Amino acid sequence: MIGTSISCQVTFLPSERIIKINSGTPLIRAARQAGLHINASCGGNGVCGKCRVMIKEGVVDGGISDRLSLEDIRKGYRQACTAIITEDIVVQVLEAEGLTAGILGTEVPERHRAAMHIFDIEELQEEGIFIPPVEKFFLELPRPDLNDRQADAGRLLRAMDEQYDERHIYISHFLLKRLRRVLRDDDFRVTATLARPVNRRFRSRLLNLQSGNWTGRNYGIAVDIGTTTVYGQLIDKQTGKILAESGDYNRQISYGEDVISRMIVAEKPEGLKKMHDMVTRSINNIIDSLLKQRSIDRDEITSITLAGNTAMTHLFLEIEPHNIRRSPYVPVSTMFPPIRSTDLGLHLGGHCMALLYPAVSSYVGGDIVAGVMGSGMYRTEKLTLFIDIGTNAEIVIGNQDWLACAACSAGPAFEGGGILHGMRAGAGAIEDFSLDPITLEPMNITIGAQPAVGICGSGLLIIISSLYECGIIDQRGRFNQKLKNERIRQGRSGYEFVLVRAEESGIERDIVLTEVDIDNYIRAKGAIYAGVTTLLAEVGLTVSDIEQVILAGAFGSYIDLDSAITTGLFPEISPDKFLYVGNGSLMGCRMSELSNHIRRDVVKTMQRMTGFELSEVPSYKDQYVASLFLPHTNAQLFPRAAERRQVMEKLKEKAELLA
Ligand code: FES
């Protein structure tokens, strides 16, 4: 459950910057959000002692360590990395005025903001389409007598028609066998669970019958099957509310981090079953956790909607994915029928239906279709660019009238792959960063304020952007060898920058960013940028035509926009056109659980999505090569980024003159 947090006002001196921040936020994060740099090289290990600030008014929680003398503490000094804001405070930052990141005048984006629900339950209600695909109906049937000898099944169907206007219903042999007893157990008062078809030509299906009134207990589950992580939500289908959330690693990960290696495993004897069992165990774990959190019985779940990329969906359904990875890249199917959840090995009742999101192609899967639905892109007039950066990057461009999509093989850099000290976002990962442009002292901010142990995707982006803005690396990502600073040094694989020294890190080794890491990042961001510009060109549009950008996916929620644009990951588009939706795939699944109307729209939307195979578009390679620079070979495409670098250079010159 999400609680409401108290907002605190933090005033930073001498700049007099004021920001509002949630109670419980570490002071160092507040400084970063205000665009201020505080030397913090150990990332919160409490070892470097460089992040001292003075609390002039108010009180913070913590922030005391043996790096501070009693005298310091008495004067109000605290360590910004471990000091927690609990009330309004005034803080004196000890850095020289004029050397802060904030003086660049750039808008510091609101980072880590909560997922924005663009299309939500209220809209479904207002539009009268809050009609779940699987619903419960309470019926009071007339008892049979000499004047009414209609059979039990006919009696039930007649009541559905008369009381709810529901016709053309199929009753299975399984339910017919139970019907007599269920009707009579509570004097012909029954609850019928009905599954509506996507296509109106087909019949509705009676899934379950219960004696008495159980309409108040109708729950669904939404699941996003990610390559790395699986997330689930428990949904009350009466109110549309999310009752519980849970996540787990996709257990297939023990057979390889990427989709290709798992498809290779699936081709071996018993491999497909193994892949199915692994991901099913993760989903079952999530189901168990969701039910436990709200003390709900598994028989009360009437449907589960799942979305994943095409390979993940095939593996989950135990469908051979062999041709997904072989030219001409053909999946077995892009549409999947409703399946009894028990047939898939899910820990749910036999009547519960599993509904799978359809895919567009081998490389644009149901998770992206779900994201387009959940974010509301499919029904907006605005020309929208949708980007989902996860293990792969998928791009969709269009609006309510048309949609074009493509997948980019960006590589695993954003998840820490191919980066010497790269890691997934977890405790101790450097996720935020700033650099003192004169001393080159870093401000490392780690997840959980833990000792730094590596760099996650969002940190990588900001570190490279800061190094570039401060002139430490050039457009090609090469270190400026003329700069004399002990943090820049020759390492085993070329030049590198020391972010955290061994004695300050959580791994007892220096944490560095190397030229090879930067190369890998440039290739990853180049693939995404080239994907966007190529797809735009294919549909006859340019960057200036885009009216809004929707960022989805685990990484998308944590992207620092300024850094993304400075390094050329995204085209230079005004920051206020960017929207974050978080896990769009999960949001789409939830919407489908609540509205059969949306399920129908899913099919229409998926059929409108034209897939492009970027590797077959001749201009893609040229676009890609041109993108292998920071931010791009053509600097005119990124005027704001150039301006920021110039401002930084002037600042440095001014500071050097003053020194
Ligand atoms: S002691 Fe706070 S960052 Fe090192």
Side-chain angles (χ1 to χ4, degrees), residues 66 71 108 114 131 188 193 202 224 232 271 364 422 461 531 551 565 642:
D66 53 13
E71 182 61 10
V108 177
I131 303 167
F188 288 85
T193 304
F202 296 123
D224 166 46
V364 177
L461 184 71
L551 295 180
I565 293 173

Side-chain angles (χ1 to χ4, degrees), residues 570-638:
F570 299 146
E572 205 163 288
I573 295 170
S574 169
D576 43 85
K577 289 187 178 171
F578 281 79
L579 302 170
Y580 296 79
V581 293
N583 191 329
S585 167
L586 197 57
M587 207 185 284
C589 289
R590 179 177 158 235
M591 291 297 167
S592 289
E593 274 290 297
L594 297 175
S595 171
N596 204 40
H597 191 280
I598 286 190
R599 267 183 83 213
R600 288 185 183 129
D601 283 346
V602 169
V603 178
K604 286 188 217 149
T605 303
M606 166 260 185
Q607 286 163 346
R608 270 192 296 132
M609 288 172 77
T610 310
F612 285 79
E613 183 52 61
L614 290 176
S615 58
E616 284 165 15
V617 179
S619 61
Y620 176 70
K621 199 158 178 233
D622 297 338
Q623 293 277 10
Y624 174 64
V625 172
S627 309
L628 295 179
F629 279 73
L630 295 171
H632 192 272
T633 328
N634 182 0
Q636 285 175 352
L637 295 172
F638 291 84

